[in-house]
Amino acid sequence: MKILSIQSAVAYGHVGNSAAVFPLQRIGVEVLPVYTVTFSNHTGYGAWRGPLISPDDVRDVITGIEERGVLPQIDVVLSGYQGGEGIADVILDAVARVKAANPSAVYACDPVMGNAKSGCFVAPAIPDLLRDRVVPAADIVTPNQFELGYLTGTSPYTLEATLESADLVRASGPNTVLVTSVERPDRPADTIEMLAVDDRGAWIVRTPLLPLKANGSGDVTAALFTAHYRSTGDAATALARTASSVFDLLERTHESGERELQLVEAQESYAHPRMQFDVTQVR
């Protein structure tokens, strides 16, 4: 499998492509990383250095890949955090070019906007751009519960409401929705869930909720779920593998006391997930 991953990059820590690439490589995926920013560290520190890469420069990199004759081999285009408005056009153009070269390729969009604790942390124009133009062009989308609510104008907190909101997203274009960070009122204390929905049904998995803020964990989740789903065609299997790997990554990070994901140290969790969590079909 080959994935063209158009995301941010940081020198220190693990977010964007700096979070997604290594876990994908560790499960045997060939990744072509295209960077939209090159920062010293993620912006959660409040200070960082390095450039936003202009949309024209990002497009040039993709054109150079195309000139090598590689696009027919691309199975997935993956995108995450979009630093500025212009990058959406570049991503959508790349998706169109890849799909023209390989009609079986899919586009997986992680519609990064924010979360329930921090609110929206992207440029003001990005959420509407994602909702109106980018998400409808995707085959797979991986919003967290907060982002799902924005995309649909709903409050998806119960399981039923979350399923209905996922169906609204699917009606706009994507076939498959992975909802992360699901915190419904009736779940057991100190747990968190993920929900996957496609044409064949809906499945949920519950894991312990660890007391840490882990920048980049959503990027790892989107990458692993996309790869597992693409390789197996089975949402339940992809959900189980992803939940196992990401929980073990987060647990190792929590135990380390470090702020940044212990991405390299947890590598066996991607290659050989323990499959320790049950996946339940809810529809």
Side-chain angles (χ1 to χ4, degrees):
M1 184 189 307
K2 285 188 171 66
I3 294 182
L4 177 66
S5 183
I6 307 171
Q7 300 196 55
S8 59
V10 293
Y12 173 68
H14 302 288
V15 299
N17 268 335
S18 301
V21 171
F22 178 67
L24 288 172
Q25 291 172 329
R26 196 64 181 82
I27 63 172
V29 175
E30 182 75 32
V31 188
L32 287 72
V34 175
Y35 304 132
T36 55
V37 308
T38 303
F39 287 165
S40 55
N41 51 270
H42 67 70
T43 59
Y45 285 94
W48 64 94
R49 294 180 181 272
L52 282 167
I53 299 174
S54 76
D56 286 344
D57 287 339
V58 177
R59 192 189 305 271
D60 268 352
V61 172
I62 296 168
T63 298
I65 294 169
E66 183 178 32
E67 289 169 348
R68 304 286 76 75
V70 178
L71 296 195
Q73 304 169 29
I74 301 296
D75 300 290
V76 179
V77 178
L78 173 65
S79 71
Y81 172 79
Q82 298 187 23
E85 298 175 47
I87 200 65
D89 288 330
V90 177
I91 291 169
L92 293 174
D93 179 60
V95 170
R97 288 200 245 174
V98 167
K99 288 191 171 187
N102 178 11
S104 68
V106 300
Y107 171 36
C109 171
D110 185 11
V112 178
M113 303 179 204
N115 56 59
K117 292 183 175 65
S118 304
C120 196
F121 51 63
V122 296
I126 296 297
D128 287 354
L129 185 63
L130 287 168
R131 181 192 62 206
D132 298 337
R133 294 191 55 216
V134 181
V135 166
D139 301 288
I140 302 167
V141 291
T142 60
N144 61 36
Q145 194 172 30
F146 171 86
E147 292 158 347
L148 179 66
Y150 185 89
L151 291 173
T152 57
T154 61
S155 298
Y157 295 112
T158 66
L159 177 59
E160 294 74 16
T162 304
L163 287 166
E164 289 171 4
S165 297
D167 286 340
L168 288 173
V169 171
R170 294 180 68 240
S172 75
N175 174 73
T176 305
V177 179
L178 174 71
V179 188
T180 64
S181 302
V182 176
E183 299 185 59
R184 52 188 173 121
D186 57 342
R187 77 191 191 281
D190 300 319
T191 65
I192 195 165
E193 296 168 318
M194 288 197 292
L195 174 74
V197 185
D198 68 6
D199 287 341
R200 294 191 291 175
W203 295 264
I204 200 163
V205 63
R206 178 182 298 148
T207 68
L209 175 62
L210 297 170
L212 80 164
K213 180 180 180 181
N215 295 86
S217 59
D219 303 319
V220 176
T221 301
L224 288 176
F225 178 82
T226 295
H228 289 313
Y229 186 70
R230 177 65 171 170
S231 64
T232 67
D234 187 295
T237 298
L239 188 60
R241 291 179 181 174
T242 302
S244 175
S245 297
V246 173
F247 176 79
D248 282 352
L249 165 63
L250 292 176
E251 186 174 52
R252 192 175 190 106
T253 300
H254 177 56
E255 290 172 350
S256 75
E258 297 291 334
R259 176 170 179 172
E260 296 292 342
L261 291 176
Q262 299 300 288
L263 196 79
V264 175
E265 292 81 355
Q267 61 182 284
E268 287 302 308
S269 300
Y270 326 134
H272 306 290
R274 292 189 292 145
M275 306 296 278
Q276 69 271 43
F277 302 113
D278 293 331
V279 172
T280 303
Q281 187 163 9
V282 292
R283 190 174 68 194

